[in-house]
Amino acid sequence: MNDLETRAAVARPGALRRAAPALLGYAAVRALGLVVLALWSEARGKGAYTLLTARWDSLWYTRVAELGYGYEVRLPNGDVHSNLAFFPLLPWLERLAAAVSPLSYADGGFVVSLLASLAAAWGIFAVADHLHGRRAGVCAVLLWAVLPVGIVQSMAYSESLFTALAAWALYAVLTGRWVTAGLLAGLAGLTRPVGLAVVAAVWAAGVAAFLRERSGSSFVGDGSAVPAGGARGDGHAGPPSGAPRTSAPDGAPPSSHAPGVRLRRVAGMLLAPLGAAGYVLWVGDRTGGGPLGYLDVQAGWRNGFDGGYAFARFVAGRFTSFPSALAGAALVVGVALVVWLHVLCVRRGQPLPLLVYAGTVTALALCASSYFGSKPRLLMPAFPLLLPLAVALARARTHLLAAWLGTVAAASAAYGAFWLNGSGPP
């Protein structure tokens, strides 16, 4: 199947009907979060919509959309906060929305975020459904929706847009649509610095596919053999709940050695890094810093990659007094949970591109010396970590699953409202 056929297949009505329970559940969770935020903010004399569209990073994005690049703030300590740190795809879409409608740039960012969050939910469902079946796909989407920081999915931030592009790029890799994967990876690279994770996933899958062909290995029974509607031969949708499909180690379906297949794979791999590389090189040229100029811009924000040293010091500092020690313990448990989930993904044989993607997102989030309050938000795109939990939940009885998810959704909505009404940025 070529890439044009893939786009038609993704858009077919049957695919949307198959994903409908996941999308409806996701929309319900997000609606609950917005309602709770509105009530909480009203009680505190704040505007919920302002919190979602006109504070913190969202202001920087709208300034880029309105005025372009070149704006910076010089702080008394000498730090320089430049809007060159913010990648351009979201501001471009905000500008487009404002150009074709009466929406403001901030309104456009909110609309883009809402639509992108639904696209992300659909992409997460597609990946999980492809690997583990429809019920696990629904569970994966709902788990992503009820993350404690899930309210960010409704903000005029770039996380939802990035996750949508990453999820569909990974799905394209898993199903052997290399050109589509490369294009989506390139767009992801124009969205956030962590677009590197999507590029790494595409390249890891591509290299593994070439090595597999070179060694003459043969793999059968991959997920792409499931009929277009997702039905198994016994008439049930997807594979048995929780049973991963057997596939090549790179997660892509076995491909022929035809030159056309290889050519599309090479094209996808070459397209994947163009977005991130293009923006980074443009920033370097604009600042006069050369290829490393973007790192200088990030240094002005005190962002960098130190292997987790600064974060470890921050966590250790929580244990110097009480009750901050409780926060420190929670951070340790949270990091341990993330690492355990990735190890579990490896042990369960998750496809290589998903492991590389989630591992890179996790490493960049935990090992960066950026604002520590943003760590949970930076981890949010690492949705493959949720797949083992989704598989486990898919085995639960429906009424127990609904009760548990409803309780967690309510807690997530309350935490999100509390978080956004705080003093610091998410």
Side-chain angles (χ1 to χ4, degrees):
M1 181 179 291
N2 62 33
D3 283 74
L4 292 178
E5 291 170 328
T6 299
R7 285 191 284 272
V10 169
R12 68 181 184 274
L16 181 58
R17 283 197 300 270
R18 185 169 177 80
L23 298 181
L24 290 173
Y26 177 80
V29 173
R30 289 274 43 85
L32 174 63
L34 293 176
V35 169
V36 172
L37 175 65
L39 295 175
W40 195 301
S41 301
E42 181 66 23
R44 292 179 59 87
K46 297 183 179 181
Y49 191 67
T50 299
L51 294 175
L52 294 170
T53 64
R55 292 193 70 187
W56 307 302
D57 288 8
S58 57
L59 283 176
W60 287 89
Y61 283 118
T62 55
R63 286 193 184 107
V64 173
E66 182 178 6
L67 304 173
Y69 285 104
Y71 176 82
E72 63 183 28
V73 175
R74 294 184 177 271
L75 303 183
N77 65 356
D79 290 346
V80 178
H81 289 184
S82 168
N83 64 1
L84 290 169
F86 296 86
F87 277 52
L89 185 57
L90 178 58
W92 287 348
L93 294 176
E94 290 178 342
R95 183 178 297 177
L96 176 63
V100 301
S101 73
L103 296 175
S104 67
Y105 296 112
D107 295 337
F110 183 66
V111 171
V112 168
S113 182
L114 289 183
L115 295 177
S117 67
L118 288 171
W122 192 357
I124 292 170
F125 171 82
V127 170
D129 179 34
H130 177 75
L131 295 174
H132 303 292
R134 188 183 194 186
R135 188 174 175 89
V138 173
C139 291
V141 169
L142 293 179
L143 282 172
W144 191 67
V146 302
L147 289 174
V149 296
I151 190 64
V152 174
Q153 297 162 18
S154 299
M155 298 180 68
Y157 273 37
S158 60
E159 271 75 12
S160 290
L161 179 61
F162 173 78
T163 305
L165 294 167
W168 283 110
L170 291 171
Y171 178 74
V173 169
L174 292 175
T175 52
R177 280 78 170 186
W178 294 101
V179 175
T180 298
L183 290 171
L184 291 172
L187 290 174
L190 285 171
T191 308
R192 296 186 61 79
V194 76
L196 172 66
V198 190
V199 177
V202 173
W203 271 77
V207 170
F210 281 118
L211 292 177
R212 186 175 70 248
E213 291 176 354
R214 185 177 181 85
S215 65
S217 298
S218 175
F219 298 88
V220 295
D222 68 286
S224 65
V226 177
R232 302 200 310 266
D234 58 6
H236 295 85
S241 179
R245 294 180 172 96
T246 303
S247 64
D250 59 356
S255 59
S256 69
H257 292 217
V261 174
R262 292 175 178 170
L263 182 60
R264 288 196 294 273
R265 187 186 306 143
V266 170
M269 294 174 68
L270 293 177
L271 288 169
L274 292 184
Y279 182 68
V280 167
L281 292 176
W282 178 81
V283 170
D285 179 69
R286 183 183 176 99
T287 61
L292 301 181
Y294 182 76
L295 298 181
D296 296 333
V297 171
Q298 286 286 4
W301 288 80
R302 302 214 171 201
N303 292 335
F305 191 87
D306 62 1
Y309 175 72
F311 184 45
R313 289 189 59 188
F314 172 78
V315 174
R318 303 304 95 190
F319 291 96
T320 58
S321 63
F322 188 86
S324 67
L326 296 177
L331 287 172
V332 171
V333 171
V335 172
L337 176 61
V338 169
V339 174
W340 175 75
L341 285 174
H342 195 265
V343 170
L344 189 59
C345 290
V346 174
R347 295 180 62 183
R348 296 286 176 85
Q350 197 170 90
L352 178 63
L354 270 63
L355 292 175
V356 170
Y357 167 76
T360 306
V361 172
T362 301
L364 291 176
L366 296 182
C367 297
S369 59
S370 56
Y371 174 64
F372 303 116
S374 296
K375 298 294 185 183
R377 170 173 66 86
L378 299 178
L379 285 167
M380 191 173 63
F383 69 89
L385 298 180
L386 300 174
L387 295 186
L389 299 179
V391 170
L393 287 176
R395 302 190 184 104
R397 295 180 181 272
T398 300
H399 67 281
L400 294 176
L401 179 61
W404 184 84
L405 285 172
T407 301
V408 176
S412 173
Y415 179 77
F418 167 78
W419 195 36
L420 285 197
N421 278 276
S423 57

